[in-house]
Amino acid sequence: WSDGFVERCDDPLYCVSKPGTSQMYFMLGLPSFVLLEISSSFRSLSDNSKARYQAGALELLRFLKGCTHLFSGSTAYETICAAAMVGDGSSVEKLRTCMLAGQQSNGCFRSEENPDAMDHTAEISICLCRIGNLAASSSTGQATQDHAPVRLPVISGLD
């Protein structure tokens, strides 16, 4: 890339690939979520600026929704928050179902042998809690009535 970024299509640490497996969707989900938070949180922003932040966030979400394995992977935890903020209930439910399906019997979302197990579990738990608070808010801040409540995972062994 001419602006200094390195593109390595075979390495998900450097590139989120639409057809790729084991992608780190949170690397684009988090910026989308942050852009939506900025557009809705700062009263001092002009309407034009808010619209540009929202447009950037929606572009990232469109890309992510075009990824083959978005709804079957466990790394879309920030993406679920962005989807909830724009009122995309269908994506929220698919992502929530996928995330909860990966929960281990001990409460973790990855095997305890995995060095990132606790971090991954914390990220998913926080995002699941957050979408409950967002209640599928649209970009106008109005909540929908048909959003199911989040059942938080039980995490053992944190004493």
Side-chain angles (χ1 to χ4, degrees), residues 25-107:
Y25 300 115
F26 64 88
M27 293 179 74
L28 295 178
L30 178 61
S32 179
F33 179 54
V34 169
L35 291 170
L36 290 168
E37 281 281 321
I38 291 170
S39 72
S40 64
S41 299
F42 293 99
R43 288 182 259 170
S44 61
L45 286 177
S46 69
D47 289 341
N48 184 41
S49 292
K50 288 178 185 180
R52 290 190 348 220
Y53 282 114
Q54 290 170 355
L58 292 174
E59 184 65 29
L60 288 170
L61 279 175
R62 271 191 290 279
F63 175 85
L64 287 166
K65 285 179 70 173
C67 292
T68 306
H69 302 286
L70 177 69
F71 298 109
S72 60
S74 65
T75 62
Y77 32 86
E78 299 294 348
T79 307
I80 196 172
C81 293
M85 285 194 75
V86 298
D88 185 354
S90 174
S91 292
V92 168
E93 288 306 316
K94 288 178 189 175
L95 290 167
R96 179 199 334 248
T97 299
C98 177
M99 286 180 207
L100 290 176
Q103 189 174 22
Q104 308 289 309
S105 61
N106 65 359

Side-chain angles (χ1 to χ4, degrees), residues 114-128:
N114 186 316
D116 297 327
M118 293 309 278
D119 183 51
H120 196 71
T121 297
E123 290 282 356
I124 290 176
S125 299
I126 290 167
C127 288
L128 289 173

